[in-house]
Amino acid sequence: MKISVLSGKGGTGKTTVATNLAYYLSKKGKKVQYLDFDVEEPNGFIFLKPEIKNTFEVKVKVPQIDESSCTQCGLCAKKCNFNALAVTKNGVLVFEKICHSCGLCSLVCPVNAITETEREIGKIEIGYTNNLKAVRGVLNIGEPMGIPILKNLKKLITPDYINIIDSPPGSSCSVVHSVEGSDYGILVTEPTKFGLHDLEIAANVIRQLGVPFGVVINKSDENDYIIEEFCEKQGIDIIEKIPFDRSIAQKYSKGELLEDKSFIEVFENIFSKIMEVS
Amino acid sequence: MKVCFSSEGKSLDSQLDPRFGRCKYFIIVDTETNEFKVVENEGFVSEHGAGVSAANLVVDEGADIVITRNIGPNSMKILTSTKISIYEGQADTIKANLELLKQDKLNEIKEPKKSHFGLQNRWGR
């Protein structure tokens, strides 16, 4: 089973929901793994504090040009869809960060002067908090593309676990990558105009992907009607509300999980609603 | 000598485009014959590597000098390794800048701007 937690808006509480839900389920004795797909800023491990057992490097392929056989015909640069190559008087220049590792340049080279080499862009870490398995992808600073790490993370999703995916914020490419194929999507939002605006976009994206989903209102207060009206109009379930509470903020800022009885009920409810749907 | 300008329009009275990679047109002036050619910049609409695409185009056109205002690291690398000199335009129009170049009043650009400068630094974190 695969449950994705997404938000459309950063700072809404995806990680709070995802880590606590994963922790709660593992406490109940379920076979759970938490996967942090927010590779640009993976912060789930701050709360789960797993002991890291395995680390893998994530590498992408980049072209390497053999200057002695290259005739500088320029075909590789012309055919490259991403403008990652340039032919100059001093040979062929490769712009590694623009390269999408498609391999077309090595196919079109008439003299076979291009081979593919590997370049590290980040890593994947696997660890454990008691019986909860926790996985995260970390993109190296300055790298523009996290998708190759997400592709590797996806391989670690196994059907015999309950997989809780902590998606990146927003509704971009990498969010689509992490959510597609989920059995359920938890859309975390906050009762503000910004929250509503981004919720509308995220709801459209997840609908296109054909994933059943429900909304969790975090920082819930007297403004909830903004979200409630929208959800009613669109026929979206509001599965739970997490109150706007100082004690939650304090725990969050210390990097702690919400282990109080009152919150356990919240996560119990979220999980039982998900089980009803999927 | 071929001088290439990043331009907002198609004539010598057009404004110099401050961006190199995402300028709309390149105007290439042959200083011996005083004839000029307008080339549409494919980098303008490019999703990826606008600077690389634009610089490739300038190299293919056989320019000797480029006049623009802001140029990124990738384009600069391509132009300098093709031995194309880059000067910073001072005046508003292409014509006025050409005049300044002839009087030797333009400065050479030695350092590139941050990448994605043309996107108003939305990506230039």
Side-chain angles (χ1 to χ4, degrees), chain B residues 11-117:
Chain B
S11 79
L12 291 182
D13 292 315
S14 304
Q15 300 282 310
L16 183 78
D17 197 317
R19 304 167 299 177
F20 175 78
R22 288 192 190 273
C23 68
K24 201 137 196 218
Y25 304 99
F26 284 118
I27 294 186
I28 301 157
V29 183
D30 191 324
T31 50
E32 271 121 63
T33 59
N34 274 331
E35 282 173 353
F36 72 94
K37 179 180 172 187
V38 181
V39 188
E40 233 170 287
N41 177 19
E42 289 159 20
F44 179 67
V45 290
S46 182
E47 282 175 45
H48 316 266
V52 177
S53 152
N56 273 342
L57 194 142
V58 171
V59 171
D60 286 346
E61 291 293 333
D64 302 291
I65 288 176
V66 163
I67 295 177
T68 184
R69 216 157 272 156
N70 304 301
I71 189 160
N74 289 352
S75 339
M76 186 136 181
K77 204 166 153 193
I78 296 169
L79 297 185
T80 46
S81 54
T82 317
K83 306 259 168 358
I84 297 175
S85 338
I86 310 156
Y87 287 88
E88 186 179 358
Q90 300 292 340
D92 291 336
T93 64
I94 306 296
K95 206 189 262 168
N97 276 304
L98 186 61
E99 225 24 71
L100 289 176
L101 178 78
K102 283 178 180 164
Q103 295 163 15
D104 209 13
K105 279 184 178 160
L106 294 182
N107 297 325
E108 205 166 345
I109 299 178
K110 300 276 188 198
E111 288 290 323
K113 280 274 166 22
K114 262 189 178 169
S115 53
H116 302 127
F117 185 87

Side-chain angles (χ1 to χ4, degrees), chain A residues 40-41 77-78 81-90 93-95 98 100, chain B residues 46 48-50 52-53 56 59-60 73-75 77-78 80-83 125:
Chain A
E40 285 176 36
E41 268 154 296
K78 275 214 174 64
N81 229 334
F82 308 102
N83 299 314
L85 292 151
V87 180
T88 71
K89 280 177 188 161
N90 281 344
L93 296 177
V94 179
F95 297 99
I98 307 179
H100 281 53
Chain B
S46 182
H48 316 266
V52 177
S53 152
N56 273 342
V59 171
D60 286 346
N74 289 352
S75 339
K77 204 166 153 193
I78 296 169
T80 46
S81 54
T82 317
K83 306 259 168 358
R125 288 191 248 180

Side-chain angles (χ1 to χ4, degrees), chain A residues 183-217:
Chain A
D183 298 295
Y184 194 84
I186 300 174
L187 253 163
V188 185
T189 188
E190 58 176 34
T192 61
K193 283 187 177 173
F194 296 113
L196 176 64
H197 172 264
D198 289 9
L199 174 66
E200 285 181 45
I201 299 168
N204 276 333
V205 170
I206 195 164
R207 229 181 239 132
Q208 300 264 340
L209 294 168
V211 174
F213 67 100
V215 165
V216 169
I217 304 179

Side-chain angles (χ1 to χ4, degrees), chain A residues 20-21 23-25 27-28 240 258-272:
Chain A
N20 283 288
L21 183 62
Y23 185 73
Y24 158 74
L25 292 173
K27 272 256 160 141
K28 271 185 71 177
E240 192 50 80
L258 316 169
E259 283 184 86
D260 303 15
K261 267 210 177 115
S262 53
F263 298 126
I264 285 177
E265 216 170 276
V266 167
F267 294 104
E268 222 155 51
N269 281 340
I270 292 175
F271 189 64
S272 62

